[in-house]
Amino acid sequence: MAAGPACADTALQGQNARQERGEKTLANITGGAGKQVVDSLRDIAPDLGDWIINFAYGEVFSRPGLSLCTRELTTISALTALGNAQPQLKVHIDGALNVGCKPEEIVEVILQMAVYAGFPSALNGIGAAREVFAKRGIKIAARTDPAVPPQETR
């Protein structure tokens, strides 16, 4: 049975809403960096850019149930564990800061990955965080006692 014009219109409206939601969420998290990534795909793999907007940000990142900060921290942990996604990790560290995550939280998530993904992955993650923090002028006070919470300095 073929879908009629009404079904096609409804599907298009859903697709447009998902794309609009995805673009808004992407901009909220990454500022212009995410759009630049998507735009850079238009000449060779525009579908990949559409999937990023429509699925990753229009469906997953925009879901209720977790804050954007929590979603960014989980993304940072996954990208750190992968160990081969430094450009994406930097974008998401920047995004985490954009949505209100504290630098210390980002560092702690990356440190946690040393246990599960290995020290090389954690070292690479810390290197990515260092670059993003330096670009933004963020300094974190060194901790001498792990039981004492760190103090952020800006």
Side-chain angles (χ1 to χ4, degrees):
M1 196 157 141
C7 288
D9 287 345
T10 302
L12 183 59
Q13 289 173 353
Q15 174 63 23
N16 289 342
R18 187 173 31 255
Q19 182 175 353
E20 191 173 302
R21 191 171 54 244
E23 288 171 348
K24 181 180 176 188
T25 304
L26 178 69
N28 189 26
I29 294 170
T30 69
K35 184 172 181 345
Q36 288 176 350
V37 169
V38 171
D39 288 346
S40 76
L41 298 168
R42 293 291 172 220
D43 66 330
I44 189 166
D47 288 342
L48 183 56
D50 291 342
W51 297 341
I52 291 168
I53 295 289
N54 296 331
F55 178 67
Y57 288 89
E59 291 291 335
V60 180
F61 269 91
S62 62
R63 288 175 56 88
L66 290 176
S67 70
L68 288 178
C69 183
T70 300
R71 289 188 188 281
E72 282 299 297
L73 291 174
T74 59
T75 301
I76 289 167
S77 68
L79 292 171
T80 297
L82 283 173
N84 62 358
Q86 294 300 302
Q88 295 81 10
L89 178 57
K90 290 175 193 173
V91 166
H92 284 281
I93 290 170
D94 216 21
L97 295 167
N98 289 343
V99 297
C101 297
K102 295 178 181 162
E104 295 82 6
E105 293 173 312
I106 294 166
V107 169
E108 287 299 320
V109 164
I110 295 169
L111 292 176
Q112 183 78 16
M113 292 303 98
V115 176
Y116 295 97
F119 282 85
S121 292
L123 286 166
N124 290 338
I126 289 297
R130 178 181 283 123
E131 285 183 42
V132 172
F133 294 169
K135 179 181 80 176
R136 292 177 72 136
I138 296 171
K139 295 182 191 233
I140 297 178
R143 290 176 53 179
T144 54
D145 182 353
V148 178
Q151 299 295 317
E152 175 188 348
T153 59
R154 285 190 188 222

